[in-house]
């Protein structure tokens, strides 16, 4: 067994891995960007290594720096968590080349199953059902139109190297094909460094059900139950549960056996998730995630296992210890708590200071968090604050416990998705298992939720918060160590910030256009000398797993442009200045 493990991640999952390491008597080493120096995952680890300033590409995604940190710290293994480098085959190879253990599958498995086109070929060989799709990657919008004419609409353009909805676009008619194809390629290239996309027929009434698989190096491959992840917005999961409700025993068993065949076909070792779309008692392979999932706690709750600890044991060469825990007991439901404004179903990213965070306690409740009171949700990374999980001997009990927990979860300083989770879980459709992957966006009403006091913009039917990066202080800004709680009333302080932010927005703009958060420019819609109208989208910045349009603050003429596509920017970087034309 290992004595020291480096965790190549941040936030909630890094905290989770560190705690499992402690339970096994293993020292943990955190890595962090300079902006993250005061973050919770750094504080809970036994040691930490600063990977430097700049965007994630210069620290959390810098393979050389992470390997060097592991070697210098004396770690024998690296746990990648989820996201960042967790499904990067080059990283897995570099870890092995350095004489370290990668707590995950082989580079071959990552490469094969991480590429959606190659994964579909493996599924065919393993006799796993597939939805109609393109035969490999596509190169133009014309292929989209031809596929739609043959199979009907809607269809999906999906990033071959992607996940989490990035590089994915739904197309409802031929006239949407070009714009959707271009956007998917652009987003996939920015997110994964790979613009390859493929096509798939979109099932309009399907549920998203996934199977947890686990394999060791001794020939044991099993499935550890299933999860329903149908409650999504913009292809991002919000509520997950295990076991998936309402499935027949035959369907559940067939999916599990298919997942095992798939894992064996690619020689898989470690924890993985095989995702399916389920419609009318039929299931179709969607993709395989070659890592631990965000929603793994619901599986842990109903199977009485620690999947992170099991990952570590398997990576150390041990046999699976969970062979006696394959039958689920009871039910568990998880609500992701993100720093987002729920109002009207827009789910706008809303980074900022977490003034208060008090997680509920009680029978069957668990909170996996990446923040505590006084921490800051930075605009550079994912907006997940934590996950509230409820367990019960049956699904109804789990629902009631989750609702109780959501009522008692207290988070102040940033808007969160907790109100949305409560609306979802208490909805009659959810309770009676009358939902699909489109249910949340088409059925659930969030109009009564009050919007956060921040600037927003609508582009192509999608809404975005445009954060005011200076709202949370000057100087070090985001990433500075959280200040001590003031003696003054917290609500009053928060109200002061809100009034200042509102006054700032209501002030007359001088036409300056700056990057609202750290990210990468993926689209430039204007040229110097071009006249634009107020609100027109000038740039698109990819940040916090989303494309964020940057609108013109005034009408006028665009000046010099200080940005290029693919350029990584710090928050506050000047992009251009718009000069209002003099009256005739």
């Amino acid at each position: 067994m290992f004595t020291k493990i480096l965790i190549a991640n941040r936030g909630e999952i890094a905290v989770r891995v560190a705690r499992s390491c402690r339970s096994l008597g293993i020292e943990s080493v955190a890595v962090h960007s300079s902006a993250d120096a005061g973050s919770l995952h750094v504080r809970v680890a036994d040691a930490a290594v600063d990977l430097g300033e700049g965007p994630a590409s210069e620290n959390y995604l810098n393979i050389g720096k992470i390997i060097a940190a592991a070697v210098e710290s004396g770690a024998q293994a690296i746990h990648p968590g989820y996201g960042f480098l967790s499904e990067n085959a080059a990283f897995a190879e570099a870890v092995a080349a350095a004489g370290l253990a990668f707590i995950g599958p082989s580079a071959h498995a990552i490469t094969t199953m991480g590429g959606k086109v190659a994964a579909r070929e493996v599924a065919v060989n393993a006799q796993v059902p597939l939805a109609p799709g393109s035969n490999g990657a596509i190169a133009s919008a014309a292929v989209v139109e031809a596929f739609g004419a043959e199979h009907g609409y809607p269809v999906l353009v999906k990033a071959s190297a992607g996940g989490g909805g990035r590089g994915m676009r739904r197309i409802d008619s031929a006239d949407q094909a070009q714009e959707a194809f271009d956007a998917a390629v652009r987003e996939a290239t920015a997110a994964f460094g790979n613009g390859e996309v493929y096509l798939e027929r979109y099932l309009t009434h399907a549920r998203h059900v996934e199977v947890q698989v686990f394999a060791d190096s001794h020939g044991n491959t099993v499935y550890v139950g299933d999860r329903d992840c149908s409650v999504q917005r913009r292809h991002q999961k919000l509520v997950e549960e295990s076991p998936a409700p309402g499935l027949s025993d035959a369907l559940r068993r067939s999916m599990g056996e298919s997942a095992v065949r798939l894992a064996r076909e690619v020689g898989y070792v470690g924890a993985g998730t095989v995702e399916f779309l389920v419609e009318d008692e039929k299931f179709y392979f969607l993709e395989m995630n070659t890592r631990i999932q965000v929603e793994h706690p619901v599986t842990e709750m109903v199977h009485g296992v620690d999947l992170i600890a099991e990952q570590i044991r398997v990576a150390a060469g041990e046999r699976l210890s969970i062979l006696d825990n394959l039958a689920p007991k009871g039910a568990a439901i998880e609500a992701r708590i993100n720093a987002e404004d729920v109002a009207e179903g827009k789910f706008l990213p809303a980074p900022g200071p977490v003034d208060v965070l008090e997680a509920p306690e009680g029978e069957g409740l668990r909170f996996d968090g990446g923040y505590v009171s006084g921490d800051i949700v930075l605009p550079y990374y994912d907006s997940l604050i934590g996950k509230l999980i409820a367990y019960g001997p049956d699904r109804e009990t789990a629902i009631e416990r989750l609702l109780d927990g959501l009522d008692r979860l207290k988070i102040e300083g940033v808007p969160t998705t907790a109100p949305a989770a409560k609306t979802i879980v208490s909805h009659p459709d959810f309770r009676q298992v009358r939902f699909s992957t489109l249910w949340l966006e088409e059925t659930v009403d969030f109009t009564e939720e009050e919007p956060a006091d921040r600037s927003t913009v609508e582009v192509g039917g999608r809404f975005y918060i445009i954060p005011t990066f200076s709202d949370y202080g000057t100087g070090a800004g985001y990433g500075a160590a959280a200040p001590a709680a003031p003696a003054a009333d917290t609500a009053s302080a928060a109200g002061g910030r809100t009034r200042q932010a509102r006054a700032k927005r209501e002030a007359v703009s001088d036409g300056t256009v700056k990057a609202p958060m750290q990210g990468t420019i993926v689209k430039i819609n204007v040229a110097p000398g071009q006249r634009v109208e107020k609100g027109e989208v000038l740039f698109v910045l990819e940040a916090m797993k989303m494309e964020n349009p940057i609108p013109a603050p005034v009408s006028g003429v665009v000046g010099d442009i200080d940005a290029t596509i693919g350029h990584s920017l710090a928050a506050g970087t000047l992009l251009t200045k718009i000069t209002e034309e003099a009256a005739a």
Side-chain angles (χ1 to χ4, degrees):
M1 179 58 77
F2 310 118
T3 60
K4 185 179 290 187
I5 292 174
L6 181 135
I7 306 166
N9 218 295
R10 68 176 301 279
E12 172 271 328
I13 187 58
V15 174
R16 171 77 180 85
V17 174
R19 288 174 174 159
S20 282
C21 285
R22 184 170 296 117
S23 71
L24 295 172
I26 299 171
E27 289 185 54
S28 60
V29 180
V31 293
H32 63 89
S33 65
S34 295
D36 252 344
S39 295
L40 181 61
H41 80 279
V42 175
R43 304 198 301 269
V44 301
D46 297 301
V49 179
D50 189 340
L51 298 180
E53 299 180 351
S57 60
E58 297 178 17
N59 36 72
Y60 290 113
L61 293 172
N62 190 308
I63 293 175
K65 285 185 177 180
I66 292 173
I67 297 295
V71 172
E72 292 169 9
S73 67
Q76 298 99 37
I78 295 179
H79 196 302
Y82 53 72
F84 287 135
L85 294 170
S86 63
E87 294 179 284
N88 186 304
F91 181 51
E93 290 177 338
V95 172
L100 305 172
F102 180 71
I103 303 177
S106 67
H108 166 72
I110 294 173
T111 299
T112 304
M113 303 312 294
K116 305 303 186 293
V117 173
R120 287 175 66 90
E121 295 176 0
V122 174
V124 170
N125 293 336
Q127 298 183 319
V128 178
L130 286 168
S134 59
N135 294 319
I138 64 171
S140 70
V143 180
V144 177
E145 295 175 19
F147 183 89
E150 179 180 356
H151 296 282
Y153 292 95
V155 300
L156 283 179
V157 177
K158 303 176 69 175
S160 179
R166 304 170 81 183
M168 180 187 296
R169 290 294 185 276
R170 172 176 167 168
I171 302 172
D172 293 309
S173 60
D175 59 2
Q176 298 176 3
Q178 188 67 57
E179 181 179 354
F181 174 81
D182 291 342
V185 170
R186 183 174 65 247
E187 190 171 271
T189 302
F192 312 112
N194 181 350
E196 183 181 83
V197 296
Y198 69 102
L199 273 175
E200 193 170 82
R201 180 73 169 88
Y202 191 65
L203 303 176
T204 56
H205 301 290
R207 287 170 58 187
H208 183 139
V209 179
E210 61 189 30
V211 175
Q212 176 73 62
V213 292
F214 227 121
D216 62 24
S217 56
H218 301 277
N220 297 304
T221 304
V222 298
Y223 66 94
V224 192
D226 49 60
R227 300 181 287 255
D228 191 296
C229 306
S230 302
V231 180
Q232 305 175 9
R233 78 278 187 250
R234 296 197 298 270
H235 306 290
Q236 295 288 321
K237 301 167 187 173
L238 188 60
V239 173
E240 302 104 341
E241 60 180 305
S242 182
L247 302 185
S248 68
D249 291 341
L251 178 62
R252 200 184 301 278
R253 182 172 57 254
S254 185
M255 275 197 301
E257 292 172 350
S258 293
V260 168
R261 288 199 305 272
L262 193 78
R264 286 176 175 161
E265 180 71 24
V266 77
Y268 202 85
V269 173
T273 300
V274 182
E275 302 190 343
F276 298 100
L277 292 176
V278 177
E279 187 175 77
D280 300 328
E281 279 296 304
K282 295 181 180 180
F283 64 93
Y284 306 94
F285 172 69
L286 181 61
E287 64 182 7
M288 183 178 190
N289 291 312
T290 55
R291 52 169 170 78
I292 198 73
Q293 292 280 93
V294 178
E295 56 271 20
H296 74 271
V298 293
T299 297
E300 293 184 325
M301 298 286 271
V302 299
H303 289 275
V305 300
D306 181 337
L307 293 176
I308 302 295
E310 196 72 7
Q311 281 188 296
I312 294 170
R313 294 188 188 100
V314 166
E318 297 183 11
R319 292 178 180 272
L320 284 173
S321 68
I322 58 175
L323 299 178
D324 295 328
N325 292 306
L326 300 181
K329 299 178 180 64
I333 305 177
E334 171 183 293
R336 298 192 191 190
I337 310 300
N338 298 315
E340 296 178 6
D341 182 9
V342 173
E344 298 178 11
K346 297 175 185 178
F347 293 94
L348 309 176
V354 179
D355 297 327
V356 175
L357 196 163
E358 296 177 4
E361 296 181 352
E363 184 176 1
L365 288 177
R366 163 178 164 182
F367 185 76
D368 286 13
Y371 299 83
V372 295
S373 298
D375 287 343
I376 298 174
V377 179
L378 301 174
Y380 320 137
Y381 312 112
D382 190 278
S383 63
L384 181 66
I385 293 175
K387 303 170 304 192
L388 182 62
I389 310 104
Y391 171 82
D394 51 57
R395 185 171 185 261
E396 186 60 30
T397 302
I399 288 174
E400 293 302 327
R401 286 178 176 173
L402 182 58
L403 288 171
D404 172 63
L406 288 167
D407 279 338
R408 294 187 288 115
L409 175 65
K410 185 177 182 181
I411 299 178
E412 297 177 359
V414 292
T416 77
T417 53
K422 184 176 179 181
T423 298
I424 291 163
V425 176
S426 59
H427 197 286
D429 287 351
F430 183 83
R431 287 180 177 268
Q432 296 172 33
V433 198
R434 297 194 305 254
F435 50 75
S436 69
T437 56
L438 299 179
W439 171 74
L440 179 63
E441 293 178 336
E442 293 183 348
T443 304
V444 183
D445 183 10
F446 295 107
T447 55
E448 293 184 1
E449 297 295 339
E450 291 295 326
D453 186 28
R454 298 178 181 218
S455 300
T456 64
V457 61
E458 177 182 3
V459 179
R462 297 175 71 185
F463 293 81
Y464 307 84
I465 273 188
I466 305 299
T468 304
F469 62 88
S470 59
D471 281 354
Y472 307 107
T474 57
Y478 282 119
D489 179 67
T490 301
S492 298
R497 280 198 303 273
T498 299
R499 288 190 294 273
Q500 292 170 4
R502 185 182 299 113
K504 183 180 183 70
R505 288 197 301 274
E506 290 173 352
V508 177
S509 172
D510 64 358
T512 297
V513 181
K514 297 181 179 180
M517 63 183 75
Q518 181 170 324
T520 301
I521 293 292
V522 296
K523 191 173 184 181
I524 299 175
N525 295 331
V526 292
Q530 179 177 337
R531 173 163 180 81
V532 296
E533 299 300 320
K534 181 179 180 180
E536 186 174 339
V537 177
L538 309 178
F539 308 91
V540 178
L541 183 89
E542 200 279 337
M544 294 188 80
K545 298 180 70 175
M546 293 178 63
E547 287 192 353
N548 299 274
I550 302 175
V554 296
S555 298
V557 177
V558 177
D560 292 338
I561 294 177
D562 298 319
T564 57
I565 293 177
H567 189 192
S568 182
L569 306 169
T573 299
L574 177 67
L575 300 177
T576 191
K577 184 170 183 177
I578 298 174
T579 304
E580 295 188 72
E581 295 177 325

